[in-house]
Amino acid sequence: QVQLVESGGGSVQAGGSLRLSCAASGYAVYMGWFRQAPGKQREGVATIAPAGSTTYADSVKGRFTISKNNARNTLYLQMNNVKPEDTAVYYCAAKYRTGEDFRYWGQGTQVTVSS
């Protein structure tokens, strides 16, 4: 059983930065960030695998960085040079192994980027 709690969301001007955090309890291996913008489908933002390899959506490459601190059981998303199109509810997610859907989800944290 995994519980995930996101924090760090808020309102920011375009070009600014935010760092989202996800505190995890229980066991998880693969973790990621997803987002859902108003009127849009949920999309993957970034993932991080057990050994630390990462993937990013094309829309955030070069701007966002996913990382984790295993000792603290915490996942991070550093968001730099944010754009209005980054506005969304951001969700932390976790799963035990590749090939399965992400099964554990946080409540989400709102990120609003204004022009």
Side-chain angles (χ1 to χ4, degrees):
Q1 189 69 29
V2 177
Q3 288 82 45
L4 304 170
V5 180
E6 303 96 335
S7 62
S11 298
V12 64
Q13 294 289 328
S17 298
L18 286 175
R19 189 179 76 163
L20 306 184
S21 298
C22 173
S25 63
Y27 176 79
V29 177
Y30 295 87
M31 302 189 74
W33 289 98
F34 294 77
R35 67 186 182 186
Q36 187 165 22
K40 304 291 186 180
Q41 293 182 316
R42 185 178 64 195
E43 64 175 348
V45 175
T47 64
I48 187 163
S53 60
T54 59
T55 68
Y56 295 93
D58 288 342
S59 59
V60 307
K61 286 181 180 177
R63 301 188 298 117
F64 292 7
T65 302
I66 187 172
S67 63
K68 61 181 178 180
N69 186 317
N70 290 327
R72 296 182 177 181
N73 295 318
T74 303
L75 180 74
Y76 303 97
L77 184 69
Q78 180 66 45
M79 306 168 61
N80 294 330
N81 191 25
V82 295
K83 303 176 179 180
E85 52 262 44
D86 295 322
T87 294
V89 177
Y90 283 72
Y91 298 92
C92 174
K95 62 182 180 181
Y96 294 131
R97 58 189 182 271
T98 189
E100 69 175 7
D101 293 338
F102 281 87
R103 65 171 65 190
Y104 299 106
W105 297 86
Q107 294 294 314
T109 186
Q110 176 71 47
V111 172
T112 302
V113 182
S114 58
S115 300

